[in-house]
């Protein structure tokens, strides 16, 4: 299992997420969501978690990918 990123300091890098691809900058510390809904996330252990509810705004859920599907939109990975 890869070590999770440091989650204490504020995010200094934030990039838009393309559903269906691995996060280009590696495991993220959290997700910023513009439109609340659900997402299919791949956790640090490589396990896909389907229909994870995401709030609009900050979601402190680290992941390695946001798979296609789900209703959440305008998702940004925080590093």
């Amino acid at each position: 299992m890869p070590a999770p990123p440091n989650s204490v300091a504020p995010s200094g890098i934030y990039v838009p997420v393309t559903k269906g691809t691995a996060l280009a900058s590696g495991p993220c510390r959290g997700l910023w969501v513009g439109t609340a809904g659900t997402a299919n996330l791949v956790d640090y252990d490589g396990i896909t978690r389907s229909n994870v509810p995401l709030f609009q705004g900050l979601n402190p859920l680290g992941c390695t990918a946001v798979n296609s599907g789900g209703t959440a939109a305008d998702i940004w990975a925080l590093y």
Side-chain angles (χ1 to χ4, degrees):
M1 170 171 96
N6 179 347
S7 61
V8 177
S11 298
I13 300 171
Y14 30 92
V15 295
V17 169
T18 302
K19 289 183 179 182
T21 63
L23 299 177
S25 297
C28 70
R29 297 177 8 193
L31 299 170
W32 191 270
V33 177
T35 303
T38 61
N40 302 318
L41 306 178
V42 180
D43 68 16
Y44 293 147
D45 290 329
I47 299 170
T48 298
R49 307 292 181 181
S50 298
N51 298 312
V52 176
L54 298 178
F55 297 105
Q56 181 178 14
L58 178 62
N59 292 266
L61 302 171
C63 64
T64 60
V66 179
N67 289 342
S68 57
T71 58
D74 195 17
I75 302 172
W76 293 71
L78 307 176
Y79 296 94

